[in-house]
Amino acid sequence: MRITTPKPINSEIQSVDDFNRTVIWWKNPRGGASRYLIALFMLGWLGGWAMGEYFALMQVLSGNPNLFILFWLIAWTAGGVFAMRHIYFLLRPTKAEKIILDTTSLIFEAGTTPFGGVSFQGFNKRRNNEDDDALPVNSKSKYIVPKTDVGAIKLERVGERQRLTFDYGAERVEVGFFLKEPEREWLFSVLKQWKGV
């Protein structure tokens, strides 16, 4: 497939046409410098956490723990795991989002996005199919979909936001969350051309 529609001016989308496939990719934002300050604070907190974990564990292993110390140790351990997970997401590098279109399949790699924190309100809205500004929640980071199984390709406005999605069975996969609207519209036309609709 050859892309015939020109990309929008100043687009950050890159594409390469090979013999029997087209590779399209774009960078996800890297996130602000404040994420490093938050990670530094959390690393300092983990130093204090390790001391508290050590003293509680020593009291449990000494053979005379009380119920409060056992409860505190379990909760403190869970808090430490939660903090380490957040530090990982704060410091991991972002990876480009990519679509590969060949004659028989669509391969979509969501890449990685900057850490946006935990939003249970956003999770509940997404679960209830309400509009929100949370990051897209695809169930996987990579999809390999036979061309015949790619369902409806949609570009629609949901609240204030434009969304580009394709259906794969019971899943609706969002593509290009961080793209500008003209870039999303261009990608929509490329996907429609590839699908032949």
Side-chain angles (χ1 to χ4, degrees):
M1 179 192 135
R2 292 265 175 220
I3 298 176
T4 56
T5 310
K7 284 182 250 179
I9 297 172
N10 299 325
S11 173
E12 296 185 16
I13 295 176
Q14 304 291 317
S15 63
V16 173
D17 290 319
D18 286 339
F19 175 68
N20 63 346
R21 69 182 195 157
T22 298
V23 181
I24 304 168
W25 73 96
W26 55 93
K27 292 180 181 177
N28 283 322
R30 292 175 23 191
S34 64
R35 68 185 178 137
Y36 297 110
L37 294 174
I38 295 168
L40 186 62
F41 169 79
M42 292 183 83
L43 282 170
W45 182 87
L46 276 176
W49 170 86
M51 294 303 296
E53 188 84 359
Y54 172 78
F55 288 123
L57 192 58
M58 287 299 107
Q59 189 166 355
V60 168
L61 295 177
S62 71
N64 61 350
N66 61 38
L67 190 59
F68 173 76
I69 291 295
L70 285 173
F71 174 77
W72 187 86
L73 182 62
I74 292 168
W76 196 245
T77 302
V81 170
F82 189 71
M84 287 184 245
R85 179 180 175 273
H86 273 61
I87 291 170
Y88 166 75
F89 284 117
L90 283 165
L91 297 179
R92 73 176 177 178
T94 59
K95 292 182 184 172
E97 197 167 342
K98 183 191 308 185
I99 292 180
I100 301 171
L101 305 170
D102 65 27
T103 54
T104 61
S105 64
L106 177 152
I107 301 170
F108 171 63
E109 296 175 14
T112 57
T113 59
F115 181 64
V118 175
S119 170
F120 295 107
Q121 180 181 10
F123 172 75
N124 288 331
K125 285 182 177 182
R126 180 71 65 170
R127 186 180 62 196
N128 296 327
N129 293 319
E130 297 175 22
D131 176 40
D132 69 300
D133 292 327
L135 295 177
V137 182
N138 295 327
S139 64
K140 298 184 286 187
S141 61
K142 183 174 182 177
Y143 292 84
I144 301 174
V145 185
K147 189 172 186 175
T148 55
D149 292 347
V150 174
I153 301 169
K154 296 180 183 176
L155 182 66
E156 58 190 351
R157 191 156 297 281
V158 179
E160 295 293 316
R161 196 164 70 81
Q162 182 191 59
R163 288 180 56 193
L164 173 59
T165 60
F166 68 87
D167 290 347
Y168 175 39
E171 289 189 70
R172 179 154 291 154
V173 182
E174 184 169 356
V175 178
F177 180 88
F178 292 107
L179 291 177
K180 298 176 188 104
E181 286 195 10
E183 292 173 320
R184 222 176 276 118
E185 290 161 2
W186 175 83
L187 187 56
F188 173 67
S189 69
V190 168
L191 290 171
K192 297 286 269 186
Q193 177 188 346
W194 169 79
K195 180 67 175 164
V197 290

